[in-house]
């Protein structure tokens, strides 16, 4: 496409190849523009967006209370992003993180419940045995719940987007059944909340953050290596690039899709374990557990912005972990309506798609020395070719 | 539309070379030149086509036929030269524009929508179709066209149900319906069995009589050209080397003009002593994507050092047969054994481990992954081998070495083992696929259209490698739509028609005529 | 029992209208997996308009306009920018989910208008859905425009060569689809269950999407499937009718989602998958770049 304005010609062309800085720039621009747009919500209540954002940064990254919260939220987002990335490398969409997170959480608390953890916060239980059991149960439950969608996709070609969505809702209500109206996991004191984990069953911390944070960081490296260097990783990538070529190469579609969804579910399950059984100050299935299901969709957009790269997902997750938590904090302070972090999520997603698409186009402005043409003239495709009618 | 000056008798037997005083000039191209970078694809080409004539353009692959064609129907703009239509200078902005001027194009790859009926395809986009479809009216008009030119095609069948020949007719009808007076056909004979070719050319001749100009562009099948066309223009290396009336030409003069030297002989078939049967297929039944039986009770065996060629028009069950043998399509009935082991329902990998090698038709969709490096593409056939995957970790050094060896031994032109597959030309990519498969020293090789669309050099190279494999004792199943290739390479030839063998003949007894009739389903040998 | 049927048909109207919109656009080769987002946006804005003005007409007008705009947006990403349509759809869904949660929150609660009138005891919008199914069937299979739309969905380059504007037709389909899907969302929030709650749609948009896949792109099968799912959902919401006191009410709320998945599995026979592969618009979800 070409537009001529005065002496200048603006050319918009599709790039043949994208370089890494194009995509990085697109991601950064998407984030900046989204924050700018959401800033209008603060303007509406008479606050200065710049000030609000500086307060968000101060709260999320510099305050004693906010920073650990940011790290924990970022870990949650990062693990949810991994849960998207692994299946997406095989060309499949896992939007079932909420369901997988709930399933894993129920399993972890189920193990604790079985050992009588519901009796009291102070009950002394062998943590060195039960904590690993809870951890493994969470991973296994996430993996199994994820694998359902993958198996159905591979075996019956049932669309995985629809299935994972249905599984999310089903598990949402099952959690409600477990913690509300006399459900088995209901806490003794508060109605509609899960029981609190005894101190003896809480995951140890290092430098003030739970062990799961370090596990998540190590996983970023491990997953990168796994996808690039192992045979399974190769098969996953092959299937993702071309299912038909994969079939030719003897790669079993059902096995691959079940595997990637099991892995995705396992990673989401880890996120669930992390937030509900390892983050200080939580240690239970809270009333607003559904908010965390929704929050895991930040993982979806983190994975997309990081373009399926587990290590690149780290800084993105830290940013979103901080900004979303900080925005919630400011929402309370400014008495904004509920859901400013949801609005940011929506705007981010659409901007990310827009900018990643726009990264494919180059814009060049050229100055013409020739005769000035005052009128605006748009030319497209075919008509650029000389024709008898001109 | 009155016929312009033509003295001719209607009784003339169709099919014989005809004499006809030339009609007025309808299409004239003067000095057409087109460059791509430094390559001159068309170098001052002149072409004069008269009303009522069947004017063939001959040339080998790479002679510039395709470029000239694309210029004539408006897909490319010439760098130099002019096109005149009925004496008026014209410039086509697009194929649509060319059609408005009466130039219709029938492509080699079908430009039809398989899910629609033939009739829907024909009337699609025509202004007179009107807001609400009036299929009865349209059918009447199209049927009239069919009757006029002797075409027979079920108009209400979905295009996917039609044979390749019928699809081509639908496309011709579509161009005519949309007002083409000059019809360009790209290799119209390539998808047809010999008897179908004769029928098509008879129809084209009838069209030519009605003051339409028909220009087939043809690479092979010279006798047919001599018999049916009035005039030929011969291209070589982007230039016109001859223009003559067919009654003054012989097959030899045409061939010599096309090639520019004595015609080289086809590859010599190598006789090697046949070994034990490697593959045995018994009463094989396979369904296609739509659930219909595409392979109906095939039985055959191939011995070590033998090439069994499957001759057939595209879409007669070759593809499902190959896929079933390779494990990509379930077998409904029957058995497949490899070295006496039943592999009828064995998974793909087990077959490869037992010595299967498979070169699929679709190089870029199935045989390779365009975005992957050549190393990763070579791994497609090696990722399951222990030497290439130790404790689940890819042995990348090993894979790289193998890739480099293939690139060397098959003289592949590529930037290196890490170049993405999409950067390779079709011929070079096919060499990589072939090298990858043959390096496994397969006991049983399935080669599907191994030279389709390759230039002469690459095609010859591929054929030579297949012969080498045969000499080293591989049993080869060669599936090709190029009858010459089948005849040149195979030890035995099985003709396939609608999923069944109409005959299996040894090469010594196979003539082009015999196999042609078999693959058209006109006769059956005892199988 | 008959009131159960009536409410089932009201639910069916939501599924059917949204799925018919999606069907129209998929026939033209555009895949929008973000139906849920379109329905949330249209349903929420329509709800706010109706609640503040007290007029259904205004509510539906706003919903249709919103749908058209979102359809246009999805079209711009998918047609003009040519980016991955599944990602685009995801973006539309998350946008709808995120924005409506924030914007709609102050309007949480019932609509507070008189119930929407019915026709002869039947839900009005079910009749609308039936009429739409017939209209879309006629459009697709009996008109030249429909033939062109289907051609664009099967093979855009052939369509272009036949003188059809692929871009124009795809935009038309995307906008019309956006309006229909949006209408479906508004039927939910204004008629079927006129109480706003964040994320009130509970994945119905995804079920409508699945309905299109399972209908083999046939408008009448879409309506039949919608009625089936409408009944299924009502039965599971009023379990006491069939199985009194078996599970807690939360388990019953999880049930329709589980049953939906089971239905998908049962439907996905080999026979069905063969038919599915054969009828799927060949260019579905693929961007089209005109060759120059």
């Amino acid at each position: 496409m070409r537009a001529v304005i005065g002496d200048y010609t603006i050319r918009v062309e599709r790039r043949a190849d994208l370089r890494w800085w194009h995509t990085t720039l697109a991601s950064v621009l998407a984030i900046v523009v989204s924050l700018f747009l959401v800033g209008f919500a603060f303007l509406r209540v008479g606050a200065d967006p710049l000030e609000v954002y500086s307060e968000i940064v101060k709260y999320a990254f510099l305050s004693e209370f906010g920073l650990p919260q940011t790290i924990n939220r970022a870990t949650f987002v990062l693990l949810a992003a991994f849960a998207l990335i692994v299946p997406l490398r095989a060309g499949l969409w896992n939007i079932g993180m909420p369901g997988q997170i709930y399933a894993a959480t129920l399993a972890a608390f189920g193990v604790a419940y079985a050992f009588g953890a519901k009796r009291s916060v102070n009950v002394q239980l062998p943590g060195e045995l039960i904590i690993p059991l809870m951890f493994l149960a969470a991973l296994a439950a996430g993996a199994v719940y994820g694998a359902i969608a993958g198996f159905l996709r591979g075996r019956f070609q049932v669309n995985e987007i629809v299935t994972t969505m249905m599984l999310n809702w089903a598990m949402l209500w099952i959690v409600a059944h477990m913690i509300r109206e006399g459900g088995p996991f209901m806490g003794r004191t508060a109605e509609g909340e899960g029981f609190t984990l005894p101190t003896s069953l809480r995951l140890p911390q290092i430098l003030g953050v739970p062990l799961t944070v370090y596990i998540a960081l190590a996983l970023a490296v491990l997953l990168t290596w796994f996808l690039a260097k192992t045979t399974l990783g190769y098969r996953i990538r092959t299937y993702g690039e071309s299912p038909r070529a994969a079939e030719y190469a003897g790669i079993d579609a059902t096995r691959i899709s079940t595997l990637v969804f099991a892995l995705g579910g396992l990673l989401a399950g880890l996120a669930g374990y992390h937030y509900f059984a390892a983050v200080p100050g939580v240690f239970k299935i809270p009333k607003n557990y559904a908010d965390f299901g929704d929050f895991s969709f930040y993982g979806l957009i983190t994975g997309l912005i990081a373009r399926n790269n587990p290590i690149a997902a780290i800084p993105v997750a830290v940013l979103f972990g901080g900004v979303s938590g900080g925005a919630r904090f400011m929402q309370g302070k400014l008495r904004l309506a509920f859901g400013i972090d949801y609005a940011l999520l929506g705007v981010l997603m659409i901007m990310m798609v827009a900018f990643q698409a726009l990264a494919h186009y180059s814009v060049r402005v050229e100055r013409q020395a020739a005769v000035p043409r005052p009128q605006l003239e748009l030319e497209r495709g075919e008509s650029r070719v000389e024709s008898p009618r001109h | 539309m009155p016929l312009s000056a033509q003295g001719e008798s209607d009784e003339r037997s169709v099919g014989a070379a005809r004499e006809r005083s030339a009609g007025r000039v309808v299409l004239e191209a003067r000095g057409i030149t087109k460059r791509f970078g430094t390559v001159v694809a068309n170098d001052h080409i002149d072409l004069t086509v008269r009303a009522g004539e069947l004017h063939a353009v001959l040339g080998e692959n790479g002679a510039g036929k395709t470029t000239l064609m694309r210029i004539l129907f408006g897909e490319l703009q010439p760098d130099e030269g002019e096109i005149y239509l009925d004496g008026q200078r014209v410039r086509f902005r697009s194929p649509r524009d060319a059609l408005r001027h009466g130039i219709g194009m029938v492509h080699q790859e079908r430009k039809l929508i398989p899910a629609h009926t033939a009739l829907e395809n024909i009337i699609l986009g025509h202004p007179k179709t009107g807001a609400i479809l009036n299929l009865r009216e349209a059918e009447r008009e199209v049927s009239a066209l069919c009757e006029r030119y002797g075409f027979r095609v079920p108009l209400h069948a979905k295009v996917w149900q039609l044979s390749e020949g019928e699809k081509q007719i639908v496309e011709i009808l579509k161009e005519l319906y949309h007002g083409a007076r000059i019809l360009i056909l790209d290799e119209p004979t390539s998808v047809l069995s010999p008897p179908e070719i004769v029928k098509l050319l008879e129809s084209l001749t009838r069209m030519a009589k009605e003051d339409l100009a028909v220009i087939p562009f043809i690479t092979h099948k010279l006798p047919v050209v001599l018999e049916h066309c009035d005039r030929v223009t011969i291209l070589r290396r982007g230039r016109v080397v001859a223009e003559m009336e067919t009654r003054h030409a012989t097959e030899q003069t045409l061939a010599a003009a096309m090639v520019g030297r004595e015609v080289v002989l086809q590859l010599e078939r190598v006789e090697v002593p046949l070994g034990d049967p490697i593959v045995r297929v018994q009463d094989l039944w396979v369904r296609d994507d739509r659930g219909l039986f595409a392979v109906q009770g095939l039985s055959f065996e191939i011995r070590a050092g033998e090439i069994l060629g499957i001759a057939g028009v595209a879409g007669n069950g070759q593809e499902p047969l190959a896929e079933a043998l390779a494990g990509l399509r379930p077998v409904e009935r029957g058995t497949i054994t490899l070295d006496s082991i039943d592999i009828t329902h064995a998974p793909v990998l087990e077959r490869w481990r037992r010595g299967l090698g498979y070169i699929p038709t679709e190089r870029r969709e199935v045989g390779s992954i365009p975005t992957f490096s050549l190393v990763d593409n070579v791994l497609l056939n090696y990722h399951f081998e222990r030497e290439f995957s130790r404790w689940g970790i890819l042995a990348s050094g090993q894979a790289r070495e193998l890739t480099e060896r293939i690139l060397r031994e098959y003289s592949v032109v590529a930037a290196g083992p890490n170049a993405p597959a999409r950067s390779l030309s079709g011929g070079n990519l096919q060499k990589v696929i072939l090298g990858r498969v043959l390096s496994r020293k397969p006991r049983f090789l399935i080669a599907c259209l191994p030279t389709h669309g390759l230039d002469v050099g690459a095609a010859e190279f591929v054929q030579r490698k297949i012969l080498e494999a045969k000499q080293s004792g591989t049993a080869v199943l060669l599936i090709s739509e190029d009858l010459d290739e089948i005849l040149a390479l195979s030890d035995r030839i099985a003709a396939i028609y609608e999923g069944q063998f109409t005959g299996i003949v040894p090469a010594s007894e196979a003539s082009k005529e015999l196999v042609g009739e078999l693959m058209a389903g006109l006769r059956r040998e005892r199988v | 029992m008959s009131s159960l049927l009536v409410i089932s048909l009201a639910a069916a109207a939501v599924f059917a209208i949204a799925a018919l919109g999606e069907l129209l656009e998929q026939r033209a080769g555009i895949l929008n997996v973000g139906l849920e987002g379109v329905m949330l946006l249209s349903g929420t804005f329509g709800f706010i308009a109706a609640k503040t003005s007290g007029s259904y007409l205004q509510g539906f007008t706003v919903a249709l306009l919103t749908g058209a705009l979102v359809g246009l947006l999805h079209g711009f990403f998918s047609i003009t920018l040519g980016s991955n349509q599944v990602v685009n759809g995801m973006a539309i869904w998350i946008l709808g989910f995120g924005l409506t949660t924030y914007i709609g929150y102050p309007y949480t609660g019932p609509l507070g208008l008189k119930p929407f009138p019915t026709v002869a005891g039947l839900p009005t919008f079910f009749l609308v859905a039936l009429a739409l199914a017939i209209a879309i069937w006629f459009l697709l299979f009996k008109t030249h425009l429909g033939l062109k739309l289907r051609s664009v969905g099967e093979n855009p380059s052939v369509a272009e060569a036949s003188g059809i504007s692929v871009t124009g037709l795809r935009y038309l389909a995307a906008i019309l689809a956006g309006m229909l899907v949006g209408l479906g969302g508004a039927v939910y929030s204004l008629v079927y269950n006129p109480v706003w709650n964040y994320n009130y749609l509970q994945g119905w948009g995804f079920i409508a999407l699945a309905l299109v896949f399972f209908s083999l792109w046939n408008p009448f099968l879409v309506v039949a499937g919608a009625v089936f799912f409408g009944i299924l959902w009502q039965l599971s919401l009023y379990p006491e009718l069939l199985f009194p006191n078996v599970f807690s009410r939360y388990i019953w709320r999880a049930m329709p989602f589980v049953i939906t998945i089971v239905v998908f599995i049962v439907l996905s026979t080999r026979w069905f998958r063969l038919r599915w592969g054969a009828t799927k618009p060949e260019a579905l979800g693929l961007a089209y770049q005109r060759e120059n």
Side-chain angles (χ1 to χ4, degrees), chain A residues 229 231 234-235 241 244 248-249, chain B residues 358 362 371 376 383 389 392:
Chain A
K229 298 288 178 194
T231 310
Y234 170 79
R235 289 178 188 164
E241 291 289 333
R244 291 184 67 202
Y248 161 78
Chain B
Y358 173 36
E362 293 163 279
T371 49
D376 279 355
H383 64 96
S389 166

Side-chain angles (χ1 to χ4, degrees), chain A residues 14 41-42 44 93 95 148 152 155-159 161-167 169-171 173-174 176-178 180-181 290-291 294 297 300-301 304 331 336-347 349-350 352-358 360-361 380-382 384, chain C residues 33 36 73 76-77 80-84 86-88 90-99 101-103 105-106 160 167 198-204 206-207 209-210 213-214 233 247-251 253-254 256-258 260-261 264-265 268-269 273 276 289-290 292:
Chain A
R14 209 175 157 82
F42 299 118
R44 234 182 46 162
W93 285 88
I95 56 167
I148 296 173
L152 293 182
R155 183 78 184 71
F156 301 109
Q157 272 127 58
V158 181
N159 184 292
I161 296 173
V162 179
T163 330
T164 45
M165 203 61 201
M166 295 298 109
L167 290 170
W169 284 98
M171 197 48 83
W173 291 115
I174 292 172
H177 165 78
M178 297 303 280
R180 284 188 197 160
E181 292 180 8
D291 280 10
D294 298 341
F297 289 132
L300 192 159
I301 163 167
L304 292 177
Q331 167 187 304
L336 276 174
F338 169 79
I340 188 77
D341 48 340
Y342 284 81
L344 175 64
L345 177 73
V347 175
M349 185 77 190
I350 208 84
M352 194 274 307
V353 170
F355 278 98
Q356 287 196 350
L358 288 173
H360 284 279
Y361 291 87
R380 289 194 56 161
E382 267 188 1
R384 210 186 316 159
Chain C
V33 298
E36 180 96 356
L73 182 71
F76 178 70
F77 285 142
T80 302
L81 295 182
S83 49
N84 184 320
V86 177
V87 180
N88 300 343
M90 290 283 177
I92 296 286
W93 161 53
I94 295 270
L95 175 78
F97 168 56
L99 266 194
T101 298
Y102 178 67
I103 293 173
Y105 195 76
E160 187 91 51
T167 309
Y198 107 97
N199 211 5
Y200 63 87
L201 205 56
Q202 313 183 59
W204 277 33
F206 289 94
I207 297 178
L209 174 67
F213 291 148
F214 281 102
W233 272 73
F247 294 122
S248 88
R249 63 194 187 97
Y250 293 119
I251 295 293
R253 299 206 63 176
F257 301 102
V258 177
T260 301
I261 294 176
F264 292 164
I265 299 170
S268 292
T269 56
R273 291 206 302 279
W276 190 87
Q289 289 278 321
R290 197 165 20 171
N292 285 320

Side-chain angles (χ1 to χ4, degrees), chain B residues 258-482:
Chain B
M258 273 170 75
V259 181
R261 58 189 147 96
E262 285 299 299
V263 186
V264 277
L265 286 168
Q266 281 274 1
L267 283 167
E268 201 64 28
R269 191 171 40 246
V270 203
E271 294 291 345
V272 284
L274 298 185
D276 299 327
I278 304 262
V279 191
R280 202 174 260 143
V281 171
Q282 283 266 290
D283 189 33
L284 192 71
W285 290 74
V286 182
R287 289 182 197 273
D288 65 10
D289 284 340
R290 298 180 189 265
L292 309 171
F293 277 112
V295 172
Q296 305 178 359
L298 295 188
S299 301
F300 58 89
E301 63 175 44
I302 312 175
R303 301 165 73 175
E306 185 184 32
I307 298 183
L308 175 67
I310 305 275
V313 175
N316 274 293
Q318 298 96 319
E319 201 69 6
L321 169 64
E323 287 172 354
L325 294 175
L328 303 180
R329 194 174 275 286
V331 171
E332 295 288 328
R333 234 189 298 158
T335 54
I336 307 166
T337 57
L338 179 57
D339 284 322
S340 318
I341 294 161
D342 188 339
I343 57 158
T344 315
H345 303 291
V348 177
L349 285 191
E350 190 190 322
R351 297 175 201 232
W352 283 86
R353 289 208 177 94
R354 291 196 187 284
L356 171 84
Y358 173 36
I359 298 167
T361 308
E362 293 163 279
R363 269 160 232 155
R364 297 201 192 264
E365 293 80 15
V366 178
S368 70
I369 295 182
T371 49
F372 271 17
S373 71
L374 294 179
V375 178
D376 279 355
N377 271 295
V378 166
L379 275 171
L380 285 178
N381 293 148
Y382 278 97
H383 64 96
F384 50 89
E385 295 292 357
R386 199 156 291 161
E387 309 96 271
F388 288 84
S389 166
R390 294 197 187 106
W391 294 299
I393 299 164
L394 289 176
S396 39
Q398 208 95 336
R400 197 189 157 88
E401 238 165 71
L402 174 65
T403 309
E404 277 167 352
R405 208 182 79 212
I406 291 171
L407 296 188
R408 247 189 346 264
E409 282 176 16
Y410 286 75
S411 33
V412 177
V413 182
N418 288 326
R422 63 157 184 263
S423 65
L424 267 63
S425 71
N428 283 304
L429 186 64
Q430 184 71 331
K431 284 180 182 177
V432 173
I433 296 170
L434 187 72
R436 170 184 89 195
V437 171
L438 289 183
S439 64
R440 297 180 54 86
K441 307 220 177 319
R443 309 263 306 144
F444 170 37
L445 175 71
I446 308 169
C448 288
L449 317 196
T451 61
H452 184 80
L454 302 191
D455 61 74
V456 185
E460 209 181 296
F461 187 94
V462 168
Q463 290 172 343
R464 209 149 19 87
K465 285 290 176 187
I466 292 174
L467 283 177
E468 275 174 29
K470 158 202 159 84
Q471 276 169 283
S472 64
T474 301
V476 181
L477 182 75
L478 172 69
I479 294 177
S480 176
E481 284 157 18
D482 180 351

Side-chain angles (χ1 to χ4, degrees), chain C residues 48-68:
Chain C
I48 295 173
K51 190 168 180 169
T52 49
S53 71
S55 140
Y56 277 116
L57 183 65
Q58 287 208 20
F60 281 112
T61 310
V62 167
L64 285 173
L65 278 177
T66 310

